PDB file of all heavy atoms in Angstrom:
ATOM      1  N   HIS A 354     -31.415  52.069 -19.102  1.00 94.00           N
ATOM      2  CA  HIS A 354     -30.926  53.145 -19.969  1.00 94.00           C
ATOM      3  C   HIS A 354     -31.346  54.517 -19.431  1.00 94.00           C
ATOM      4  O   HIS A 354     -30.605  55.492 -19.561  1.00 94.00           O
ATOM      5  CB  HIS A 354     -31.373  52.971 -21.417  1.00 94.00           C
ATOM      6  CG  HIS A 354     -30.720  53.984 -22.306  1.00 94.00           C
ATOM      7  ND1 HIS A 354     -29.364  54.010 -22.515  1.00 94.00           N
ATOM      8  CD2 HIS A 354     -31.207  55.067 -22.947  1.00 94.00           C
ATOM      9  CE1 HIS A 354     -29.055  55.052 -23.263  1.00 94.00           C
ATOM     10  NE2 HIS A 354     -30.159  55.707 -23.541  1.00 94.00           N
ATOM     11  N   LEU A 355     -32.518  54.581 -18.812  1.00 96.00           N
ATOM     12  CA  LEU A 355     -32.942  55.859 -18.203  1.00 96.00           C
ATOM     13  C   LEU A 355     -31.953  56.300 -17.128  1.00 96.00           C
ATOM     14  O   LEU A 355     -31.698  57.488 -16.955  1.00 96.00           O
ATOM     15  CB  LEU A 355     -34.343  55.720 -17.609  1.00 96.00           C
ATOM     16  CG  LEU A 355     -35.489  55.894 -18.606  1.00 96.00           C
ATOM     17  CD1 LEU A 355     -36.827  55.522 -17.958  1.00 96.00           C
ATOM     18  CD2 LEU A 355     -35.547  57.323 -19.163  1.00 96.00           C
ATOM     19  N   GLU A 356     -31.394  55.331 -16.415  1.00 96.00           N
ATOM     20  CA  GLU A 356     -30.391  55.681 -15.399  1.00 96.00           C
ATOM     21  C   GLU A 356     -29.180  56.329 -16.066  1.00 96.00           C
ATOM     22  O   GLU A 356     -28.612  57.294 -15.562  1.00 96.00           O
ATOM     23  CB  GLU A 356     -29.986  54.426 -14.608  1.00 96.00           C
ATOM     24  CG  GLU A 356     -31.122  53.894 -13.745  1.00 96.00           C
ATOM     25  CD  GLU A 356     -30.860  52.525 -13.126  1.00 96.00           C
ATOM     26  OE1 GLU A 356     -29.911  51.820 -13.530  1.00 96.00           O
ATOM     27  OE2 GLU A 356     -31.632  52.142 -12.223  1.00 96.00           O
ATOM     28  N   ASP A 357     -28.784  55.797 -17.236  1.00 97.00           N
ATOM     29  CA  ASP A 357     -27.649  56.396 -17.956  1.00 97.00           C
ATOM     30  C   ASP A 357     -28.018  57.748 -18.559  1.00 97.00           C
ATOM     31  O   ASP A 357     -27.203  58.672 -18.586  1.00 97.00           O
ATOM     32  CB  ASP A 357     -27.156  55.441 -19.049  1.00 97.00           C
ATOM     33  CG  ASP A 357     -26.402  54.260 -18.452  1.00 97.00           C
ATOM     34  OD1 ASP A 357     -25.587  54.484 -17.541  1.00 97.00           O
ATOM     35  OD2 ASP A 357     -26.640  53.119 -18.888  1.00 97.00           O
ATOM     36  N   MET A 358     -29.256  57.867 -19.065  1.00 98.00           N
ATOM     37  CA  MET A 358     -29.688  59.157 -19.619  1.00 98.00           C
ATOM     38  C   MET A 358     -29.635  60.242 -18.548  1.00 98.00           C
ATOM     39  O   MET A 358     -29.227  61.369 -18.807  1.00 98.00           O
ATOM     40  CB  MET A 358     -31.126  59.051 -20.156  1.00 98.00           C
ATOM     41  CG  MET A 358     -31.282  58.262 -21.424  1.00 98.00           C
ATOM     42  SD  MET A 358     -30.476  59.019 -22.861  1.00 98.00           S
ATOM     43  CE  MET A 358     -31.546  60.409 -23.170  1.00 98.00           C
ATOM     44  N   MET A 359     -30.048  59.878 -17.347  1.00 98.00           N
ATOM     45  CA  MET A 359     -30.069  60.852 -16.247  1.00 98.00           C
ATOM     46  C   MET A 359     -28.652  61.346 -15.965  1.00 98.00           C
ATOM     47  O   MET A 359     -28.413  62.557 -15.886  1.00 98.00           O
ATOM     48  CB  MET A 359     -30.695  60.183 -15.008  1.00 98.00           C
ATOM     49  CG  MET A 359     -30.940  61.095 -13.842  1.00 98.00           C
ATOM     50  SD  MET A 359     -29.525  61.233 -12.753  1.00 98.00           S
ATOM     51  CE  MET A 359     -29.517  59.651 -11.915  1.00 98.00           C
ATOM     52  N   VAL A 360     -27.699  60.435 -15.868  1.00 98.00           N
ATOM     53  CA  VAL A 360     -26.344  60.909 -15.534  1.00 98.00           C
ATOM     54  C   VAL A 360     -25.698  61.614 -16.727  1.00 98.00           C
ATOM     55  O   VAL A 360     -25.017  62.628 -16.563  1.00 98.00           O
ATOM     56  CB  VAL A 360     -25.416  59.788 -14.987  1.00 98.00           C
ATOM     57  CG1 VAL A 360     -25.866  59.353 -13.608  1.00 98.00           C
ATOM     58  CG2 VAL A 360     -25.299  58.603 -15.920  1.00 98.00           C
ATOM     59  N   ASN A 361     -25.929  61.135 -17.931  1.00 98.00           N
ATOM     60  CA  ASN A 361     -25.305  61.788 -19.094  1.00 98.00           C
ATOM     61  C   ASN A 361     -25.815  63.214 -19.282  1.00 98.00           C
ATOM     62  O   ASN A 361     -25.053  64.134 -19.577  1.00 98.00           O
ATOM     63  CB  ASN A 361     -25.575  60.977 -20.369  1.00 98.00           C
ATOM     64  CG  ASN A 361     -24.780  59.678 -20.396  1.00 98.00           C
ATOM     65  OD1 ASN A 361     -23.867  59.506 -19.601  1.00 98.00           O
ATOM     66  ND2 ASN A 361     -25.129  58.784 -21.290  1.00 98.00           N
ATOM     67  N   THR A 362     -27.133  63.392 -19.105  1.00 98.00           N
ATOM     68  CA  THR A 362     -27.708  64.734 -19.232  1.00 98.00           C
ATOM     69  C   THR A 362     -27.169  65.633 -18.125  1.00 98.00           C
ATOM     70  O   THR A 362     -26.831  66.798 -18.354  1.00 98.00           O
ATOM     71  CB  THR A 362     -29.251  64.649 -19.167  1.00 98.00           C
ATOM     72  OG1 THR A 362     -29.682  63.656 -20.115  1.00 98.00           O
ATOM     73  CG2 THR A 362     -29.906  65.973 -19.498  1.00 98.00           C
ATOM     74  N   GLY A 363     -27.045  65.067 -16.930  1.00 98.00           N
ATOM     75  CA  GLY A 363     -26.518  65.831 -15.805  1.00 98.00           C
ATOM     76  C   GLY A 363     -25.053  66.196 -16.001  1.00 98.00           C
ATOM     77  O   GLY A 363     -24.620  67.290 -15.627  1.00 98.00           O
ATOM     78  N   VAL A 364     -24.284  65.301 -16.601  1.00 98.00           N
ATOM     79  CA  VAL A 364     -22.864  65.587 -16.864  1.00 98.00           C
ATOM     80  C   VAL A 364     -22.745  66.734 -17.861  1.00 98.00           C
ATOM     81  O   VAL A 364     -21.977  67.685 -17.667  1.00 98.00           O
ATOM     82  CB  VAL A 364     -22.143  64.317 -17.393  1.00 98.00           C
ATOM     83  CG1 VAL A 364     -20.803  64.673 -18.021  1.00 98.00           C
ATOM     84  CG2 VAL A 364     -21.930  63.308 -16.268  1.00 98.00           C
ATOM     85  N   GLN A 365     -23.534  66.693 -18.945  1.00 98.00           N
ATOM     86  CA  GLN A 365     -23.428  67.760 -19.944  1.00 98.00           C
ATOM     87  C   GLN A 365     -23.825  69.110 -19.332  1.00 98.00           C
ATOM     88  O   GLN A 365     -23.185  70.122 -19.598  1.00 98.00           O
ATOM     89  CB  GLN A 365     -24.307  67.448 -21.164  1.00 98.00           C
ATOM     90  CG  GLN A 365     -24.096  68.402 -22.330  1.00 98.00           C
ATOM     91  CD  GLN A 365     -22.790  68.151 -23.098  1.00 98.00           C
ATOM     92  OE1 GLN A 365     -22.243  67.054 -23.060  1.00 98.00           O
ATOM     93  NE2 GLN A 365     -22.284  69.160 -23.791  1.00 98.00           N
ATOM     94  N   LYS A 366     -24.846  69.096 -18.500  1.00 98.00           N
ATOM     95  CA  LYS A 366     -25.254  70.335 -17.835  1.00 98.00           C
ATOM     96  C   LYS A 366     -24.098  70.864 -17.000  1.00 98.00           C
ATOM     97  O   LYS A 366     -23.793  72.059 -17.010  1.00 98.00           O
ATOM     98  CB  LYS A 366     -26.484  70.053 -16.960  1.00 98.00           C
ATOM     99  CG  LYS A 366     -27.098  71.275 -16.353  1.00 98.00           C
ATOM    100  CD  LYS A 366     -28.365  70.895 -15.584  1.00 98.00           C
ATOM    101  CE  LYS A 366     -28.970  72.097 -14.904  1.00 98.00           C
ATOM    102  NZ  LYS A 366     -30.129  71.710 -14.100  1.00 98.00           N
ATOM    103  N   GLY A 367     -23.437  69.971 -16.285  1.00 98.00           N
ATOM    104  CA  GLY A 367     -22.288  70.365 -15.482  1.00 98.00           C
ATOM    105  C   GLY A 367     -21.154  70.901 -16.340  1.00 98.00           C
ATOM    106  O   GLY A 367     -20.519  71.908 -16.008  1.00 98.00           O
TER     107      GLY A 367
END
Side-chain angles (χ1 to χ4, degrees):
H354 187 65
L355 277 171
E356 292 170 347
D357 287 316
M358 288 294 288
M359 187 272 287
V360 290
N361 288 347
T362 309
V364 165
Q365 188 75 23
K366 187 176 177 184

